[in-house]
């Protein structure tokens, strides 16, 4: 799970870990292409994108909790 300040941002901060990991847009794109589950939160737009997430009910539950 990553967050960035706006759509089109180039830095993505990983938020589901205790370490400070920042990836570039190409790194996130590569994770998506390799079929990893990736969730990106765009804080300024209050928008979320989700890739390769199989359980829609679980995803909805996560969104409601967040």
């Amino acid at each position: 799970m990553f967050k960035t300040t706006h759509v089109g941002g180039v830095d993505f901060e990983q938020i589901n870990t205790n370490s400070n990991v920042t990836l570039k847009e190409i790194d996130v794109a590569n994770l998506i292409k390799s079929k990893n589950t990736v969730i990106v939160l765009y804080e300024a737009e209050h928008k979320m994108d989700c890739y390769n997430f199989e359980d829609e009910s679980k995803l909805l539950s996560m969104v409601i909790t967040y």
Side-chain angles (χ1 to χ4, degrees):
M1 181 173 252
F2 301 91
K3 72 175 181 176
T4 189
T5 55
H6 63 282
V7 173
V10 294
D11 294 316
F12 295 83
E13 179 185 345
Q14 190 170 6
I15 59 175
N16 61 333
T17 183
N18 290 334
S19 62
N20 275 341
V21 176
T22 301
L23 299 179
K24 297 294 182 187
E25 184 176 9
I26 189 69
D27 301 317
V28 174
N30 287 336
L31 287 171
I32 294 167
K33 286 179 188 174
S34 65
K35 302 295 183 197
N36 286 292
T37 298
V38 176
I39 299 171
V40 179
L41 300 174
Y42 300 97
E43 290 185 320
E45 286 88 357
H46 302 286
K47 177 183 175 193
M48 180 181 86
D49 287 337
C50 183
Y51 305 91
N52 306 318
F53 202 98
E54 299 298 323
D55 188 344
E56 293 176 3
S57 296
K58 184 176 179 183
L59 177 60
L60 180 59
S61 177
M62 288 173 53
V63 169
I64 291 170
T65 301
Y66 183 74

